[in-house]
Amino acid sequence: MDPTTTTAAAGLAAGGYILRLGQRWIRFRAQIRRAELDQHGLSERTRSLPPGSRLIEKTAHHDVDIVIGGQAAGRNPR
């Protein structure tokens, strides 16, 4: 096999591997960004609710149940 062909094949394989790593990194960062935006949106919604309100959000990935102005879990009233 010609050394030029071997070098070209190795270069293409390395380039493909680097592109695949880049794609995975971009997808991972996008997933993190979506989670940050979801959290920010949840925080904004809870700020607008009056005390005693309850916010329940259920998605395919998580369930959130927030009581606004309620007693903290595990604490005894004084």
Side-chain angles (χ1 to χ4, degrees):
M1 192 173 233
D2 185 25
T4 305
T5 305
T6 305
T7 304
L12 285 174
Y17 183 73
I18 290 171
L19 286 175
R20 179 69 178 145
L21 284 177
Q23 178 195 24
R24 292 180 79 185
W25 182 79
I26 289 170
R27 290 175 74 192
F28 180 69
R29 290 297 305 155
Q31 185 179 17
I32 290 172
R33 183 67 180 140
R34 277 192 301 274
E36 288 173 347
L37 290 173
D38 286 345
Q39 180 65 38
H40 180 72
L42 188 61
S43 297
E44 289 298 317
R45 283 179 289 190
T46 56
R47 281 191 195 106
S48 65
L49 294 173
S53 298
R54 186 174 192 168
L55 177 67
I56 300 172
E57 180 178 293
K58 295 183 180 185
T59 67
H61 304 290
H62 66 277
D63 294 344
V64 177
D65 188 2
I66 300 174
V67 177
I68 309 300
Q71 181 178 350
R75 294 192 180 198
N76 295 327
R78 293 186 182 183

